[in-house]
Amino acid sequence: MTSALLVAALLGGCGDDSTGSASASGTSDTAATTDASSSSGVETAATTDASGTNSGSASGSTSGSTSTDGTGTDTGTVDPCTSMIYWTKGDLESPLMHPGKACLDCHDQQIGEDVKGLLGVAGTVYPSFHEPDDCNGVDGAAEATIVEITTADNQVLMLPVNSAGNFMYDQVENGPITFPIKAKVRRGGNEASMVAAQMTGDCNSCHTESGTMNAPGRIVAP
């Protein structure tokens, strides 16, 4: 797949941006460490020169690595998780936890816990579209990867992607944000932009392994 075609396919649709509601706007451009989804289609012109923190190299889109039996012997099977690294610590609270899962939905199910309502935006960036839950995504610590969120009141939030591929916005610490939002992923001098504004920040709720609500699958780094 050529570079232009890869960028064009990175962000698919999610949900309906025809309705609107707003929360108090935040002014912080920092975050602890998700992808916002788009309603329909994708943008094709998304390559820029590298600058600032957007360093690193573009990743490919081929998923899966050959598995071994623990002794280095090729078993002939293909692990659908490109990184071959999985989260195995259950619900131990960590910014590295449960890559690929719907972060906000999970946190908001924890009634009475300090994580309820903590995140305003969260998701996981992957090297390919169909990676399983709990599989680590791109290593944003090794190759700087940023999810840029633009809110309805034109606040720009730069959310770093961590070593598990996760990104998030802590609205308790930094203040709530105003929806709808738009998003783009920046990596290695390239960027992939969503087309339409979204009313949810729970990016992985649409960007699942197989994709829902018109999303083609995972959020993929350019």
Side-chain angles (χ1 to χ4, degrees):
M1 178 180 291
T2 66
S3 173
L5 289 177
L6 173 61
V7 172
L10 297 181
L11 291 175
C14 175
D16 184 353
D17 66 339
S18 61
T19 60
S21 64
S23 58
S25 64
T27 57
S28 171
D29 63 354
T30 61
T33 42
T34 128
D35 150 33
S37 318
S38 99
S39 294
S40 60
V42 290
E43 285 191 10
T44 56
T47 301
T48 60
D49 293 332
S51 63
T53 59
N54 301 323
S55 59
S57 60
S59 69
S61 61
T62 301
S63 176
S65 301
T66 303
S67 297
T68 65
D69 61 4
T71 65
T73 302
D74 187 347
T75 63
T77 61
V78 174
D79 191 331
C81 175
T82 299
S83 67
M84 298 182 70
I85 301 172
Y86 290 83
W87 172 259
T88 59
K89 298 182 179 180
D91 290 338
L92 176 68
E93 189 172 346
S94 167
L96 307 178
M97 69 188 302
H98 293 309
K101 292 192 175 181
C103 310
L104 273 63
D105 179 65
C106 183
H107 277 216
D108 289 346
Q109 296 294 327
Q110 305 300 314
I111 307 299
E113 300 291 331
D114 59 359
V115 296
K116 182 176 174 62
L118 176 68
L119 302 176
V121 176
T124 311
V125 179
Y126 281 99
S128 67
F129 287 112
H130 304 299
E131 313 254 355
D133 286 348
D134 283 333
C135 163
N136 276 13
V138 300
D139 186 345
E143 296 184 54
T145 307
I146 298 291
V147 174
E148 179 184 307
I149 301 293
T150 302
T151 67
D153 57 349
N154 292 319
Q155 298 295 320
V156 178
L157 313 174
M158 307 295 284
L159 311 182
V161 174
N162 65 22
S163 59
N166 291 339
F167 61 93
M168 61 199 70
Y169 176 80
D170 184 334
Q171 63 181 0
V172 173
E173 179 178 350
N174 299 308
I177 62 178
T178 306
F179 287 85
I181 59 174
K182 289 188 175 183
K184 62 178 66 175
V185 182
R186 297 182 180 274
R187 192 180 199 223
N190 299 317
E191 65 177 39
S193 301
M194 57 186 288
V195 174
Q198 295 299 308
M199 291 305 301
T200 178
D202 199 1
C203 307
N204 290 347
S205 65
C206 291
H207 287 278
T208 63
E209 180 177 359
S210 57
T212 62
M213 300 294 288
N214 298 321
R218 299 300 190 182
I219 302 164
V220 178

Coordinates of all heavy atoms in Angstrom, one line a residue, residues 1-10 55-63 82-83 125-129 131 136-140 142-145 161 185-192 218-222:
M1 N 0.9 -1.2 0.0 CA 0.0 0.0 0.0 C 0.9 1.2 0.0 O 1.9 1.3 0.7 CB -0.9 0.0 1.3 CG -1.8 1.2 1.4 SD -2.8 1.1 2.9 CE -3.9 -0.2 2.5
T2 N 0.7 2.2 -0.9 CA 1.5 3.3 -0.9 C 1.3 4.2 0.3 O 0.3 4.1 1.0 CB 1.2 4.2 -2.2 OG1 -0.2 4.6 -2.1 CG2 1.3 3.3 -3.4
S3 N 2.2 5.2 0.5 CA 2.1 6.1 1.6 C 0.8 6.9 1.6 O 0.1 7.0 2.6 CB 3.3 7.0 1.7 OG 3.1 8.0 2.6
A4 N 0.4 7.4 0.4 CA -0.8 8.2 0.3 C -2.0 7.4 0.6 O -2.9 7.9 1.3 CB -0.9 8.8 -1.1
L5 N -2.1 6.1 0.1 CA -3.2 5.3 0.3 C -3.3 4.9 1.8 O -4.4 4.8 2.3 CB -3.2 4.1 -0.6 CG -3.4 4.3 -2.1 CD1 -3.3 3.0 -2.9 CD2 -4.8 5.0 -2.3
L6 N -2.2 4.6 2.4 CA -2.2 4.3 3.8 C -2.8 5.4 4.6 O -3.7 5.2 5.5 CB -0.8 4.0 4.3 CG -0.6 3.7 5.8 CD1 -1.4 2.6 6.2 CD2 0.8 3.5 6.1
V7 N -2.3 6.6 4.4 CA -2.8 7.7 5.2 C -4.3 7.9 5.0 O -5.1 8.2 5.9 CB -2.1 9.0 4.8 CG1 -2.7 10.2 5.5 CG2 -0.6 8.9 5.3
A8 N -4.7 7.7 3.7 CA -6.2 7.9 3.4 C -7.0 6.9 4.1 O -8.2 7.2 4.4 CB -6.4 7.7 1.9
A9 N -6.5 5.8 4.5 CA -7.4 4.7 5.1 C -7.3 4.7 6.6 O -7.9 3.9 7.2 CB -7.0 3.4 4.5
L10 N -6.5 5.6 7.2 CA -6.3 5.4 8.7 C -7.4 5.6 9.6 O -7.6 4.9 10.5 CB -5.2 6.4 9.1 CG -3.8 6.1 8.3 CD1 -2.8 7.1 8.8 CD2 -3.4 4.7 8.6
S55 N 8.4 13.5 15.8 CA 9.5 12.8 15.1 C 9.2 11.3 15.1 O 8.3 10.8 15.7 CB 10.8 13.1 15.9 OG 10.7 12.7 17.2
G56 N 10.1 10.6 14.4 CA 9.8 9.2 14.3 C 9.6 8.8 12.9 O 9.5 9.6 12.0
S57 N 9.4 7.5 12.7 CA 9.2 7.0 11.3 C 7.8 6.5 11.1 O 7.2 6.0 12.1 CB 10.2 5.9 10.9 OG 10.1 4.9 11.8
A58 N 7.2 6.5 9.9 CA 5.9 6.0 9.7 C 5.9 4.5 9.8 O 6.8 3.8 9.5 CB 5.4 6.4 8.3
S59 N 4.8 4.0 10.3 CA 4.7 2.5 10.5 C 3.9 1.9 9.4 O 3.1 2.6 8.7 CB 4.0 2.2 11.8 OG 2.6 2.6 11.8
G60 N 4.1 0.6 9.2 CA 3.4 -0.1 8.1 C 2.0 -0.5 8.5 O 1.6 -0.2 9.7
S61 N 1.3 -1.2 7.7 CA -0.1 -1.6 8.0 C -0.3 -3.1 8.0 O -1.4 -3.6 8.1 CB -1.0 -1.0 6.9 OG -0.7 -1.5 5.7
T62 N 0.8 -3.9 7.9 CA 0.6 -5.3 7.9 C 0.6 -5.8 9.3 O 1.5 -5.6 10.1 CB 1.8 -6.0 7.2 OG1 1.8 -5.5 5.8 CG2 1.7 -7.5 7.1
S63 N -0.5 -6.6 9.7 CA -0.6 -7.1 11.1 C -0.1 -8.5 11.2 O -0.2 -9.3 10.3 CB -2.1 -7.0 11.5 OG -2.3 -7.5 12.7
T82 N 0.5 -7.4 16.4 CA 1.8 -7.0 15.8 C 2.9 -6.9 16.8 O 4.0 -7.4 16.5 CB 1.6 -5.7 15.0 OG1 0.6 -5.9 14.0 CG2 2.9 -5.3 14.3
S83 N 2.7 -6.3 17.9 CA 3.7 -6.1 18.9 C 4.0 -7.4 19.6 O 5.1 -7.5 20.2 CB 3.3 -5.0 19.9 OG 2.2 -5.5 20.7
V125 N -3.7 3.7 19.6 CA -3.2 3.8 18.2 C -2.4 2.5 17.9 O -1.5 2.1 18.6 CB -2.3 5.0 18.0 CG1 -1.8 5.1 16.6 CG2 -3.0 6.3 18.4
Y126 N -2.7 1.9 16.7 CA -2.1 0.7 16.3 C -1.4 0.8 15.0 O -1.6 1.7 14.2 CB -3.2 -0.4 16.2 CG -3.7 -1.0 17.5 CD1 -4.9 -0.6 18.1 CD2 -2.9 -2.0 18.1 CE1 -5.3 -1.1 19.3 CE2 -3.4 -2.6 19.3 CZ -4.5 -2.1 19.9 OH -5.0 -2.6 21.1
P127 N -0.5 -0.2 14.7 CA 0.1 -0.2 13.4 C -0.7 -0.8 12.3 O -0.4 -0.7 11.1 CB 1.4 -1.1 13.6 CG 1.0 -2.0 14.7 CD 0.1 -1.2 15.6
S128 N -1.8 -1.5 12.6 CA -2.7 -2.1 11.6 C -4.2 -2.1 12.1 O -4.4 -1.9 13.3 CB -2.3 -3.5 11.2 OG -2.4 -4.4 12.2
F129 N -5.1 -2.4 11.2 CA -6.5 -2.2 11.5 C -7.2 -3.3 12.5 O -8.1 -3.0 13.2 CB -7.3 -2.2 10.2 CG -7.2 -1.0 9.4 CD1 -6.5 -1.0 8.2 CD2 -7.6 0.2 9.9 CE1 -6.3 0.1 7.5 CE2 -7.5 1.4 9.1 CZ -6.8 1.3 7.9
E131 N -6.2 -5.5 15.2 CA -5.4 -6.0 16.3 C -6.4 -6.3 17.5 O -7.4 -5.6 17.7 CB -4.4 -5.0 16.8 CG -3.6 -4.4 15.7 CD -2.2 -4.9 15.6 OE1 -1.8 -5.6 16.5 OE2 -1.4 -4.5 14.6
N136 N -0.7 -4.6 22.8 CA -0.1 -3.3 22.8 C -0.1 -2.7 21.3 O 0.2 -3.4 20.4 CB 1.3 -3.3 23.3 CG 1.4 -3.3 24.8 OD1 0.4 -3.4 25.5 ND2 2.6 -3.1 25.3
G137 N -0.3 -1.4 21.2 CA -0.3 -0.7 20.0 C 1.1 -0.2 19.6 O 2.1 -0.8 20.1
V138 N 1.1 0.9 18.9 CA 2.4 1.5 18.6 C 3.1 2.0 19.8 O 2.5 2.4 20.8 CB 2.3 2.7 17.6 CG1 1.6 2.2 16.3 CG2 1.5 3.8 18.2
D139 N 4.4 1.9 19.8 CA 5.2 2.4 21.0 C 5.5 3.9 20.8 O 6.4 4.3 20.1 CB 6.5 1.6 21.1 CG 7.3 2.0 22.4 OD1 7.0 3.0 23.0 OD2 8.2 1.2 22.7
G140 N 4.6 4.7 21.4 CA 4.8 6.2 21.2 C 5.9 6.7 22.0 O 6.3 7.9 21.8
A142 N 8.9 5.2 21.9 CA 10.1 4.9 21.1 C 10.0 5.8 19.8 O 11.1 6.3 19.4 CB 10.1 3.5 20.7
E143 N 8.8 6.0 19.3 CA 8.6 6.9 18.1 C 7.5 7.9 18.4 O 6.4 7.5 18.5 CB 8.3 6.1 16.9 CG 9.4 5.1 16.4 CD 9.0 4.4 15.1 OE1 8.7 5.1 14.1 OE2 9.0 3.2 15.1
A144 N 7.9 9.1 18.7 CA 6.9 10.1 19.2 C 5.7 10.1 18.3 O 5.7 10.3 17.1 CB 7.6 11.5 19.2
T145 N 4.5 9.9 19.0 CA 3.2 9.8 18.3 C 2.3 10.7 19.1 O 2.2 10.5 20.3 CB 2.7 8.4 18.2 OG1 3.7 7.5 17.6 CG2 1.4 8.3 17.4
V161 N 1.0 9.6 22.9 CA 0.7 8.1 22.9 C 1.8 7.4 23.6 O 3.0 7.7 23.4 CB 0.7 7.6 21.4 CG1 0.5 6.1 21.4 CG2 -0.5 8.3 20.7
V185 N -3.9 12.1 14.0 CA -2.8 11.4 14.6 C -1.5 11.9 13.9 O -1.5 11.9 12.6 CB -2.9 9.8 14.4 CG1 -1.7 9.1 15.1 CG2 -4.2 9.3 15.1
R186 N -0.5 12.2 14.6 CA 0.8 12.7 14.0 C 1.9 11.8 14.4 O 2.0 11.4 15.6 CB 1.1 14.1 14.6 CG 0.1 15.2 14.2 CD 0.6 16.5 14.8 NE -0.3 17.6 14.5 CZ -0.3 18.3 13.3 NH1 0.6 18.0 12.4 NH2 -1.2 19.3 13.2
R187 N 2.7 11.4 13.4 CA 3.8 10.5 13.6 C 4.8 10.6 12.5 O 4.4 10.5 11.3 CB 3.3 9.0 13.8 CG 4.4 8.1 14.3 CD 3.8 6.7 14.5 NE 4.6 5.9 15.4 CZ 5.0 4.6 15.1 NH1 4.6 4.0 14.0 NH2 5.7 3.9 16.0
G188 N 6.0 10.7 12.8 CA 7.1 10.7 11.8 C 6.9 11.7 10.7 O 7.3 11.4 9.5
G189 N 6.4 12.9 11.0 CA 6.2 13.9 9.9 C 5.0 13.7 9.1 O 4.7 14.4 8.2
N190 N 4.2 12.6 9.4 CA 2.9 12.4 8.7 C 1.8 12.6 9.6 O 1.9 12.6 10.9 CB 2.9 10.9 8.2 CG 4.0 10.7 7.2 OD1 4.3 11.5 6.3 ND2 4.7 9.5 7.3
E191 N 0.6 12.8 9.1 CA -0.6 12.9 9.9 C -1.8 12.3 9.2 O -1.8 12.2 8.0 CB -0.9 14.3 10.3 CG -1.3 15.2 9.1 CD -1.6 16.7 9.5 OE1 -1.0 17.2 10.5 OE2 -2.5 17.2 8.9
A192 N -2.7 11.8 10.0 CA -4.0 11.2 9.5 C -5.1 11.9 10.2 O -5.1 11.9 11.5 CB -4.1 9.7 9.7
R218 N -9.2 -0.5 13.9 CA -8.4 0.3 14.8 C -8.0 1.6 14.3 O -8.0 1.8 13.1 CB -7.2 -0.5 15.2 CG -7.4 -1.8 15.9 CD -8.2 -1.7 17.2 NE -8.2 -2.9 18.0 CZ -8.9 -3.1 19.1 NH1 -9.6 -2.1 19.6 NH2 -8.9 -4.2 19.7
I219 N -7.7 2.5 15.2 CA -7.0 3.8 14.8 C -5.6 3.3 14.4 O -4.9 2.7 15.2 CB -6.9 4.7 16.0 CG1 -8.2 5.1 16.5 CG2 -6.1 6.0 15.6 CD1 -8.2 5.7 17.9
V220 N -5.2 3.7 13.2 CA -3.8 3.3 12.7 C -2.9 4.5 12.5 O -3.3 5.6 12.0 CB -4.0 2.6 11.4 CG1 -2.7 2.2 10.8 CG2 -4.9 1.3 11.6
A221 N -1.7 4.4 13.0 CA -0.7 5.5 12.9 C -0.4 5.7 11.4 O -0.3 4.7 10.6 CB 0.5 5.1 13.7
P222 N -0.2 7.0 11.0 CA 0.2 7.2 9.6 C 1.7 6.8 9.3 O 2.4 6.6 10.3 CB 0.2 8.8 9.5 CG 0.3 9.2 10.9 CD -0.3 8.2 11.8

